[in-house]
Amino acid sequence: LKTATGASYEKLRSDGMRAWVAENLRIAAGITASAIRSVRETANSKCCRAVRAASDATKTCKEAVRSSTAALLTTSKKTMETAKAKAIKASTTAKTIAKNGHVQATAVGAAGGAAAVGAWRQEAIRKERV
């Protein structure tokens, strides 16, 4: 440092103030430009890594959504098939039961009993009003 300072002072004395300042400004500009390039390269590298990471995260998210959607669709289809099979079975069982003569007789009896009770109740209400 002492040697560099001495050499710079000698240059100042021999070349003059204007030349010495111009040379030091060129050196400072070069150092500044080098530092700026270094910072710019580092920032660009980090930016590229961040963009890549964001892109990878987006891709992973899309794949997860697609996978979940496919699984949900499969489950929905299985549920619909099961519901359809159960509905067909229930319909068949109901038709079989409805064709049974004993069930038909019971239903007619229950309907007749309900009608009789309804008529009796109507008669009781009418008598209460009188």
Side-chain angles (χ1 to χ4, degrees):
L1 181 64
K2 196 173 196 181
T3 307
T5 304
S8 178
Y9 181 71
E10 285 301 319
K11 195 95 164 139
L12 170 65
R13 289 194 59 149
S14 65
D15 294 345
M17 178 68 86
R18 184 172 286 191
W20 181 82
V21 168
E23 182 179 345
N24 282 324
L25 283 176
R26 276 194 303 275
I27 291 169
I31 291 170
T32 303
S34 175
I36 288 173
R37 266 193 307 275
S38 176
V39 168
R40 193 177 281 161
E41 288 171 1
T42 302
N44 188 30
S45 173
K46 288 185 179 188
C47 182
C48 287
R49 272 188 260 141
V51 168
R52 228 174 304 152
S55 176
D56 291 345
T58 301
K59 189 182 296 183
T60 301
C61 185
K62 281 182 181 179
E63 289 171 0
V65 168
R66 285 183 183 131
S67 174
S68 296
T69 302
L72 183 61
L73 184 60
T74 302
T75 303
S76 297
K77 285 181 181 179
K78 287 180 182 177
T79 303
M80 288 296 292
E81 290 170 1
T82 302
K84 183 178 177 182
K86 286 183 178 183
I88 290 171
K89 183 178 179 184
S91 173
T92 304
T93 303
K95 287 177 184 176
T96 303
I97 290 172
K99 288 180 183 178
N100 186 329
H102 296 298
V103 173
Q104 290 174 354
T106 302
V108 169
V117 168
W120 174 79
R121 181 71 182 132
Q122 286 295 325
E123 182 65 24
I125 291 172
R126 189 181 60 76
K127 285 183 180 178
E128 286 177 4
R129 290 185 184 165
V130 177

mmCIF file of all heavy atoms in Angstrom, residues 57-73:
data_model
loop_
_atom_site.group_PDB
_atom_site.id
_atom_site.type_symbol
_atom_site.label_atom_id
_atom_site.label_comp_id
_atom_site.label_asym_id
_atom_site.label_seq_id
_atom_site.Cartn_x
_atom_site.Cartn_y
_atom_site.Cartn_z
ATOM 1 N N ALA A 57 -42.367 -26.080 -8.986
ATOM 2 C CA ALA A 57 -43.446 -26.143 -7.997
ATOM 3 C C ALA A 57 -44.814 -26.115 -8.682
ATOM 4 O O ALA A 57 -45.726 -26.851 -8.304
ATOM 5 C CB ALA A 57 -43.323 -24.984 -7.009
ATOM 6 N N THR A 58 -44.947 -25.289 -9.716
ATOM 7 C CA THR A 58 -46.206 -25.213 -10.458
ATOM 8 C C THR A 58 -46.495 -26.543 -11.148
ATOM 9 O O THR A 58 -47.631 -27.028 -11.124
ATOM 10 C CB THR A 58 -46.140 -24.080 -11.503
ATOM 11 O OG1 THR A 58 -45.880 -22.854 -10.823
ATOM 12 C CG2 THR A 58 -47.436 -23.960 -12.268
ATOM 13 N N LYS A 59 -45.465 -27.119 -11.744
ATOM 14 C CA LYS A 59 -45.631 -28.403 -12.428
ATOM 15 C C LYS A 59 -46.050 -29.489 -11.437
ATOM 16 O O LYS A 59 -46.961 -30.282 -11.702
ATOM 17 C CB LYS A 59 -44.319 -28.801 -13.102
ATOM 18 C CG LYS A 59 -44.436 -30.009 -14.010
ATOM 19 C CD LYS A 59 -43.092 -30.398 -14.617
ATOM 20 C CE LYS A 59 -42.579 -29.307 -15.515
ATOM 21 N NZ LYS A 59 -41.330 -29.657 -16.189
ATOM 22 N N THR A 60 -45.416 -29.508 -10.262
ATOM 23 C CA THR A 60 -45.759 -30.493 -9.236
ATOM 24 C C THR A 60 -47.197 -30.306 -8.769
ATOM 25 O O THR A 60 -47.935 -31.283 -8.601
ATOM 26 C CB THR A 60 -44.797 -30.354 -8.032
ATOM 27 O OG1 THR A 60 -43.454 -30.545 -8.494
ATOM 28 C CG2 THR A 60 -45.099 -31.356 -6.950
ATOM 29 N N CYS A 61 -47.603 -29.061 -8.604
ATOM 30 C CA CYS A 61 -48.972 -28.762 -8.172
ATOM 31 C C CYS A 61 -49.984 -29.229 -9.226
ATOM 32 O O CYS A 61 -51.002 -29.828 -8.896
ATOM 33 C CB CYS A 61 -49.116 -27.271 -7.907
ATOM 34 S SG CYS A 61 -50.712 -26.794 -7.243
ATOM 35 N N LYS A 62 -49.679 -28.954 -10.506
ATOM 36 C CA LYS A 62 -50.574 -29.380 -11.584
ATOM 37 C C LYS A 62 -50.710 -30.906 -11.602
ATOM 38 O O LYS A 62 -51.813 -31.443 -11.753
ATOM 39 C CB LYS A 62 -50.038 -28.916 -12.936
ATOM 40 C CG LYS A 62 -50.299 -27.489 -13.265
ATOM 41 C CD LYS A 62 -49.761 -27.167 -14.659
ATOM 42 C CE LYS A 62 -49.964 -25.741 -15.059
ATOM 43 N NZ LYS A 62 -49.426 -25.461 -16.395
ATOM 44 N N GLU A 63 -49.586 -31.601 -11.443
ATOM 45 C CA GLU A 63 -49.622 -33.060 -11.446
ATOM 46 C C GLU A 63 -50.436 -33.590 -10.275
ATOM 47 O O GLU A 63 -51.200 -34.548 -10.425
ATOM 48 C CB GLU A 63 -48.199 -33.612 -11.405
ATOM 49 C CG GLU A 63 -47.439 -33.397 -12.699
ATOM 50 C CD GLU A 63 -45.959 -33.741 -12.585
ATOM 51 O OE1 GLU A 63 -45.507 -34.151 -11.491
ATOM 52 O OE2 GLU A 63 -45.251 -33.606 -13.602
ATOM 53 N N ALA A 64 -50.303 -32.958 -9.107
ATOM 54 C CA ALA A 64 -51.072 -33.381 -7.937
ATOM 55 C C ALA A 64 -52.567 -33.174 -8.164
ATOM 56 O O ALA A 64 -53.385 -34.031 -7.816
ATOM 57 C CB ALA A 64 -50.608 -32.618 -6.697
ATOM 58 N N VAL A 65 -52.923 -32.044 -8.766
ATOM 59 C CA VAL A 65 -54.341 -31.769 -9.047
ATOM 60 C C VAL A 65 -54.890 -32.781 -10.049
ATOM 61 O O VAL A 65 -55.991 -33.309 -9.879
ATOM 62 C CB VAL A 65 -54.522 -30.318 -9.560
ATOM 63 C CG1 VAL A 65 -55.911 -30.104 -10.128
ATOM 64 C CG2 VAL A 65 -54.261 -29.331 -8.444
ATOM 65 N N ARG A 66 -54.116 -33.050 -11.095
ATOM 66 C CA ARG A 66 -54.568 -34.034 -12.088
ATOM 67 C C ARG A 66 -54.749 -35.407 -11.466
ATOM 68 O O ARG A 66 -55.730 -36.111 -11.745
ATOM 69 C CB ARG A 66 -53.566 -34.096 -13.243
ATOM 70 C CG ARG A 66 -53.646 -32.916 -14.164
ATOM 71 C CD ARG A 66 -52.679 -33.047 -15.331
ATOM 72 N NE ARG A 66 -52.741 -31.857 -16.171
ATOM 73 C CZ ARG A 66 -51.705 -31.183 -16.590
ATOM 74 N NH1 ARG A 66 -50.485 -31.580 -16.274
ATOM 75 N NH2 ARG A 66 -51.848 -30.112 -17.338
ATOM 76 N N SER A 67 -53.812 -35.801 -10.623
ATOM 77 C CA SER A 67 -53.890 -37.098 -9.968
ATOM 78 C C SER A 67 -55.111 -37.175 -9.053
ATOM 79 O O SER A 67 -55.852 -38.160 -9.072
ATOM 80 C CB SER A 67 -52.608 -37.341 -9.164
ATOM 81 O OG SER A 67 -52.701 -38.520 -8.422
ATOM 82 N N SER A 68 -55.326 -36.122 -8.266
ATOM 83 C CA SER A 68 -56.487 -36.101 -7.363
ATOM 84 C C SER A 68 -57.797 -36.120 -8.145
ATOM 85 O O SER A 68 -58.751 -36.796 -7.754
ATOM 86 C CB SER A 68 -56.441 -34.854 -6.482
ATOM 87 O OG SER A 68 -55.326 -34.893 -5.642
ATOM 88 N N THR A 69 -57.835 -35.395 -9.247
ATOM 89 C CA THR A 69 -59.042 -35.355 -10.076
ATOM 90 C C THR A 69 -59.331 -36.735 -10.664
ATOM 91 O O THR A 69 -60.481 -37.181 -10.676
ATOM 92 C CB THR A 69 -58.887 -34.320 -11.197
ATOM 93 O OG1 THR A 69 -58.617 -33.040 -10.612
ATOM 94 C CG2 THR A 69 -60.141 -34.218 -12.038
ATOM 95 N N ALA A 70 -58.284 -37.400 -11.143
ATOM 96 C CA ALA A 70 -58.465 -38.739 -11.714
ATOM 97 C C ALA A 70 -58.961 -39.713 -10.646
ATOM 98 O O ALA A 70 -59.862 -40.525 -10.902
ATOM 99 C CB ALA A 70 -57.159 -39.230 -12.319
ATOM 100 N N ALA A 71 -58.395 -39.639 -9.437
ATOM 101 C CA ALA A 71 -58.822 -40.517 -8.354
ATOM 102 C C ALA A 71 -60.277 -40.237 -7.974
ATOM 103 O O ALA A 71 -61.061 -41.168 -7.750
ATOM 104 C CB ALA A 71 -57.919 -40.339 -7.138
ATOM 105 N N LEU A 72 -60.643 -38.969 -7.924
ATOM 106 C CA LEU A 72 -62.015 -38.592 -7.596
ATOM 107 C C LEU A 72 -62.993 -39.087 -8.667
ATOM 108 O O LEU A 72 -64.070 -39.593 -8.350
ATOM 109 C CB LEU A 72 -62.123 -37.081 -7.447
ATOM 110 C CG LEU A 72 -63.480 -36.522 -7.037
ATOM 111 C CD1 LEU A 72 -63.874 -37.059 -5.671
ATOM 112 C CD2 LEU A 72 -63.427 -35.009 -7.007
ATOM 113 N N LEU A 73 -62.597 -38.970 -9.912
ATOM 114 C CA LEU A 73 -63.446 -39.438 -11.011
ATOM 115 C C LEU A 73 -63.637 -40.951 -10.930
ATOM 116 O O LEU A 73 -64.757 -41.452 -11.097
ATOM 117 C CB LEU A 73 -62.817 -39.046 -12.352
ATOM 118 C CG LEU A 73 -63.620 -39.379 -13.595
ATOM 119 C CD1 LEU A 73 -64.969 -38.670 -13.574
ATOM 120 C CD2 LEU A 73 -62.844 -38.981 -14.839
#
